[in-house]
Amino acid sequence: MSEFITARTLIEASYFLAAILFIYGLKRMSSPVTARGGIVWAGAGMVVATVVTFLYPGMTNYVLMMVAIATGGGLAWISGKRVAMTDMPQMIALYNGMGGGAAAAIAAVELFRGADHGLTFTILAVLGGFIGAVSFSGSFIAFTKLQGFKSTTIRFKGQNLVNLALLLAIGVVGVILVTQHGGNNVITLFFVLALLLGISMTVQIGGADMPVVISLYNALTGLAVAFEGFVLQNAAMIIAGTVVGAAGSLLTQLMAKAMNRSLANVLFSSFGDTAVEGSEVSGSMKPIDAADVGVMMAFANKVLIVPGYGMAVAQAQHKVWELSKLLIDRGVDVKFAIHPVAGRMPGHMNVLLAEAGVPYDVIYDQDEINAEFATADVALVIGANDVVNPVARTDPSSPIYGMPILNADYAKNVVVIKRGQGAGFSGIENALFFLDQTRMLYGDGQEMASELIQAVKAL
Amino acid sequence: MIDGFIALYIFMLAGFVGHEIIGRVPAILHTPLMSGSNFIHGIVLVGAMVALGRADSTLELTIGFIGVFLGAGNAVGGYVVTERMLEMFKSSKEKKS
């Protein structure tokens, strides 16, 4: 008996420590100076909590447990180490979905086991299982969309009604589950319906909105984990899950705001359908060659670089930074202007630039830099499109109308490096490309950046 | 036993903590922070271990196994990608030294 109590105390004390480490780690992660240490602290908390769980009283199946941890952890380790920085958002979606799935699995095991947790906890188990399952299948769809396995978005009339019907059905089955402890078939039906809802909710959302959706599922997984924590009476899960749920909800709102979209809009409207009908843009695109751009930039006072996802795909960020350093050495004031949703999610571009060695003090947020475009001699747009499209300011009929943009069109000269003449991620024609002061430098981002370096060096 | 109002209090306080931590975060850290919070809910691994540890029938064992597998993937994967991202944040001063 006393042995039992010691193990219990040790476990609770360790979970308490883990909770402190998680919160402290997350706090440190919220500033660029201390962020690096933050994840290590949180990681230490995770190790403590995991190791001590092996001491949990009344547990068996240790071999199975070790095998599952080794395979799941091992695969995640390898994939996490290998993934390119550009593919980070979908990896986060994938790992997040796994967490949601784990929460759903806990609920399923507890329900199948028929353990009597009392009414409140049964409701929490069912709710957590539902949220976890939706997050699991939804995140997986988000992953496949961003990975490009499934670029087409499925939409049909009355889709929201179908989702609503699914939700109602889940509600009914859930109530049966809670009140009558339904049999295995009812439990299975419940989870199948929840998984279906996750899929059907996510397939209709366009690729551009995926970051918000991933962030939302992240918050939902946190909530599911917290609910299952209550069921298992596990304080570490309750606290970590709730903190993530709250932090994730706020983060989701911040992201939606940065894209000028409400969450309801993201989830229930069909973005992109109207894009094709967007207003006509008059004028023509005027090409330029790298040598001329090199001269233009080398003798400028101020150059603002607007990087987009296209730059990252072309792996051009190293070359762009090399070019920037050359210009800085010549006394040019070079700054990077980052739109809140540059890349695939807020902050993604900063990560990509950081990877190339760009120090974060030459990187500016939209709010900090937007006033400076008017005094810039050159705005160099690389692989960015919708975030510099002035129709967001001027054309109320455009689907991106109202989205805050970088004012690249206010610069004296605009140079756009672009692979071809196609429209952006949202499929909207970009009025910036047709302005009088805009010149198009057609070609692969990396090659063009190399040519620009040569052009500047040759001066 | 974490029950009734105690449970509600924990839920409420932890909720405010999460909200407070993210409140004043610069946009450049949104992605790493999302990834970091993604890692933290990897604590679900602990719960999945407990669920598997108590499982009996083949069905429970299978689901429990999947749960631990997924939970471990969440925790390890979340850590690895967050660490890789944060590793790259340096200011120009640090670079020169």
Side-chain angles (χ1 to χ4, degrees), chain A residues 402-424:
Chain A
M403 181 174 90
I405 57 158
L406 287 165
N407 297 328
D409 53 323
Y410 291 173
K412 289 188 199 87
N413 296 286
V414 181
V415 176
V416 179
I417 300 182
K418 203 169 174 302
R419 197 178 268 281
Q421 304 199 349

Side-chain angles (χ1 to χ4, degrees), chain A residues 36 61 80-81 233 346 350, chain B residues 2 28 31 52-53 83-84 92:
Chain A
R36 179 78 205 284
N61 308 324
K81 284 281 179 199
Q233 293 287 303
N350 304 76
Chain B
I2 305 164
I28 68 161
T31 294
L52 176 60
E83 208 267 339
R84 274 187 58 193
S92 54

Side-chain angles (χ1 to χ4, degrees), chain A residues 142-417:
Chain A
F143 165 77
T144 58
K145 273 193 186 198
L146 288 177
Q147 191 71 17
F149 293 145
K150 204 171 141 293
S151 52
T152 48
T153 298
I154 303 168
R155 293 196 186 107
F156 51 87
K157 241 188 151 95
Q159 195 163 9
N160 284 329
L161 280 177
V162 172
N163 291 345
L164 190 66
L166 258 178
L167 189 64
L168 281 176
I170 292 168
V172 172
V173 179
V175 169
I176 296 173
L177 207 55
V178 170
T179 51
Q180 321 201 344
H181 290 279
N184 284 4
N185 290 337
V186 183
I187 300 172
T188 310
L189 178 66
F190 179 77
F191 282 103
V192 169
L193 287 175
L195 290 172
L196 276 179
L197 180 65
I199 295 171
S200 120
M201 256 175 68
T202 319
V203 286
Q204 65 177 338
I205 301 169
D209 283 333
M210 273 306 129
V212 182
V213 175
I214 294 172
S215 178
L216 177 70
Y217 284 140
N218 184 40
L220 285 180
T221 304
L223 202 59
V225 171
F227 284 174
E228 299 310 325
F230 282 114
V231 176
L232 297 174
Q233 293 287 303
N234 186 314
M237 281 172 74
I238 298 175
I239 291 171
T242 311
V243 168
V244 173
S249 310
L250 187 60
L251 210 50
T252 310
Q253 279 170 19
L254 289 176
M255 283 189 193
K257 212 166 114 192
M259 298 169 77
N260 194 41
R261 317 254 295 128
S262 77
L263 198 52
N265 213 329
V266 168
L267 291 177
F268 306 118
S269 79
S270 303
F271 183 55
D273 283 358
T274 50
V276 198
E277 300 152 25
S279 60
E280 291 276 310
V281 184
S282 59
S284 61
M285 299 197 208
K286 295 162 280 292
I288 191 171
D289 61 39
D292 292 342
V293 179
V295 174
M296 193 196 278
M297 290 200 298
F299 293 101
N301 285 316
K302 186 190 275 184
V303 173
L304 297 182
I305 299 176
V306 182
Y309 189 68
M311 179 197 74
V313 171
Q315 288 293 320
Q317 54 270 47
H318 292 90
K319 294 284 181 196
V320 170
W321 175 230
E322 203 182 324
L323 172 67
S324 310
K325 278 190 288 191
L326 281 176
L327 293 173
I328 291 169
D329 288 345
R330 293 183 67 100
V332 181
D333 183 12
V334 180
K335 287 171 181 168
F336 286 82
I338 312 287
H339 189 270
V341 294
R344 278 292 179 267
M345 54 172 74
H348 189 201
M349 187 52 65
N350 304 76
V351 173
L352 296 168
L353 289 175
E355 186 191 20
V358 182
Y360 60 74
D361 36 15
V362 300
I363 302 176
Y364 292 85
D365 279 352
Q366 175 167 270
D367 295 342
E368 300 169 317
I369 199 81
N370 242 350
E372 292 197 32
F373 276 103
T375 60
D377 300 295
V378 181
L380 181 65
V381 179
I382 309 173
N385 196 335
D386 295 333
V387 299
V388 289
N389 193 345
V391 301
R393 264 198 314 263
T394 55
D395 180 6
S397 72
S398 171
I400 59 167
Y401 179 71
M403 181 174 90
I405 57 158
L406 287 165
N407 297 328
D409 53 323
Y410 291 173
K412 289 188 199 87
N413 296 286
V414 181
V415 176
V416 179
I417 300 182

